[in-house]
């Protein structure tokens, strides 16, 4: 009898698609596909595994069913590891998942991996002094909406209301950010710049609103992680980008949904993920 391939699964119950019903469906898909799901790690109550722990357990494939932040913690923590990571759709937007697997469901992806229809890839990432972004990076005063998103996740209605008012004020009155090398877009800057990694370039979009109601609408789009709903300009594709605060002040960052504090200027460069991820899309997709 053929021995089942052992696999570990990292999940985060607070992520967008990670309720118990969806998690159990993913767990069943591993069993149906013939995997031995020998351990489920619930982050952040448990730490994501490092290479030493996986090697000691004889695991060469770890799956993650979570949002951008958890995926980032696992993948970047495994840089240099000889195994592979299987990213499943456990968040809200699942941008990295769709880069790797298109419009397939997590269950379909598990079945494809079991059938040998997956290949190891090392996709492009946005590298900065604040870490690598695998799904996307935001810069500017508009990142203050992250605080509202966290309050929403915790169900804190009062903090959501207070945070939304503060976020609108910060987005309308805070120092803007501009693309200074190369020079892209408006020299007076924008409240929010979004950098999405592609395999060959970084895609740059600038978000702007002119009224408080438009900022509220944009903020709600940010809360849903559906950034493209808001008014924006496509600025181009680059292999590096220096962003500066127009008032020479520090500005907020969001690296795969995790808040960071940037300096007056920050450099972002295209880099390559340093551990294998499994992709089920064909090479030419």
């Amino acid at each position: 009898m053929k021995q089942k391939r052992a696999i570990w699964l990292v999940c985060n119950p607070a992520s967008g698609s990670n309720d118990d019903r969806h998690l159990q469906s993913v767990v069943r898909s591993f069993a149906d596909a013939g995997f031995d799901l020998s351990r489920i790690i619930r982050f952040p109550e448990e730490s994501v595994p490092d290479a030493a722990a996986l090697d000691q357990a004889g695991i060469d494939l770890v799956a993650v069913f979570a949002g951008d932040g958890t995926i980032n913690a696992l993948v970047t923590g495994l840089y240099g590891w000889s195994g592979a990571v299987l990213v499943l759709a456990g968040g809200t937007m699942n941008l990295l998942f769709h880069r790797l697997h298109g419009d397939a469901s997590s269950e379909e992806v598990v079945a494809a991996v079991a059938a040998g229809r997956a290949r190891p890839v090392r996709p492009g990432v946005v590298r900065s002094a604040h870490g690598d972004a695998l799904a996307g990076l935001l810069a500017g005063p508009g990142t203050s909406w992250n605080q509202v998103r966290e309050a929403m996740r915790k169900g804190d209605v009062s903090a959501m209301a207070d945070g939304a008012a503060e976020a609108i004020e910060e987005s309308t009155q805070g120092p803007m950010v501009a693309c200074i090398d190369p020079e892209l877009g408006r020299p007076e800057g924008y409240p929010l710049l979004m950098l999405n990694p592609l395999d060959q370039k970084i895609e740059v979009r600038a978000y702007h609103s002119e009224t408080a109601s438009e900022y509220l609408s944009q903020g709600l789009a940010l809360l849903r992680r559906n950034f493209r709903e808001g008014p924006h300009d496509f600025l181009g594709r680059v292999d590096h980008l220096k962003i500066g605060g127009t008032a020479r002040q520090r500005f907020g960052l969001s690296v795969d949904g995790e808040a960071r504090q940037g300096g007056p200027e920050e450099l972002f460069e295209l880099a390559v993920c340093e551990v294998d991820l499994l992709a089920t899309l064909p090479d030419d997709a």
Side-chain angles (χ1 to χ4, degrees):
M1 183 176 179
K2 184 179 178 180
Q3 185 176 5
K4 293 183 177 181
R5 184 180 185 181
I7 187 173
W8 284 7
L9 173 65
V10 176
C11 65
N12 184 338
S15 297
S17 302
N18 219 323
D19 60 31
D20 189 63
R21 179 175 63 87
H22 285 101
L23 175 61
Q24 291 308 313
S25 177
V26 168
V27 168
R28 285 194 300 272
S29 72
F30 281 112
D32 294 343
F35 286 100
D36 173 17
L37 183 55
S38 55
R39 184 179 175 189
I40 298 177
I41 298 168
R42 289 172 171 80
F43 180 83
E45 288 78 14
E46 301 174 85
S47 299
V48 294
D50 59 18
L54 292 165
D55 289 343
Q56 185 175 14
I59 300 296
D60 63 2
L61 177 60
V62 58
V64 55
F65 180 64
D68 295 337
T70 305
I71 293 172
N72 186 298
L74 176 68
V75 170
T76 59
L78 289 175
Y79 276 4
W81 182 47
S82 60
V85 180
L86 174 60
V87 175
L88 301 176
T92 303
M93 288 295 290
N94 303 307
L95 297 177
L96 180 59
F97 173 87
H98 291 303
R99 284 179 70 190
L100 299 170
H101 309 297
D103 294 327
S105 68
S106 291
E107 291 79 4
E108 290 170 336
V109 168
V110 171
V113 172
R117 299 195 304 273
R119 58 192 174 87
V121 298
R122 297 202 172 193
V125 301
V126 179
R127 179 155 294 169
S128 76
H130 304 274
D132 287 1
L134 313 178
L137 184 144
L138 302 175
T143 58
S144 55
W145 282 93
N146 269 346
Q147 301 172 19
V148 189
R149 184 166 172 262
E150 288 304 309
M152 182 175 69
R153 178 183 292 178
K154 297 175 183 177
D156 190 335
V157 177
S158 176
M160 285 174 57
D162 292 343
E166 293 175 4
I168 290 175
E169 181 179 3
E170 179 69 16
S171 297
T172 55
Q173 299 182 20
M176 301 291 102
V177 292
C179 303
I180 57 178
D181 181 18
E183 295 181 359
L184 301 173
R186 305 189 310 200
E188 65 269 27
Y190 301 87
L192 190 70
L193 293 170
M194 181 171 70
L195 282 61
N196 281 335
L198 306 175
D199 286 344
Q200 304 299 327
K201 294 288 183 178
I202 299 170
E203 187 176 80
V204 184
R205 296 177 185 270
Y207 287 77
H208 53 83
S209 301
E210 306 303 331
T211 68
S213 63
E214 287 179 335
Y215 274 108
L216 179 59
S217 175
Q218 177 65 72
L220 294 175
L222 288 171
L223 295 180
R224 293 192 298 269
R225 306 287 289 164
N226 197 0
F227 309 116
R228 292 173 176 81
E229 285 187 358
H232 69 275
D233 300 326
F234 173 71
L235 301 186
R237 295 185 175 95
V238 297
D239 53 20
H240 76 277
L241 181 65
K242 183 179 287 186
I243 295 175
T246 56
R248 298 295 301 165
Q249 294 185 22
R250 296 163 64 86
F251 54 87
L253 298 171
S254 176
V255 180
D256 284 346
E258 300 299 315
R260 302 285 188 269
Q261 182 62 50
E265 291 185 356
E266 294 287 348
L267 177 64
F268 306 97
E269 298 177 292
L270 183 69
V272 176
C273 180
E274 296 178 22
V275 66
D276 287 344
L277 308 183
L278 291 187
T280 56
L281 278 178
D283 284 311
D284 56 354

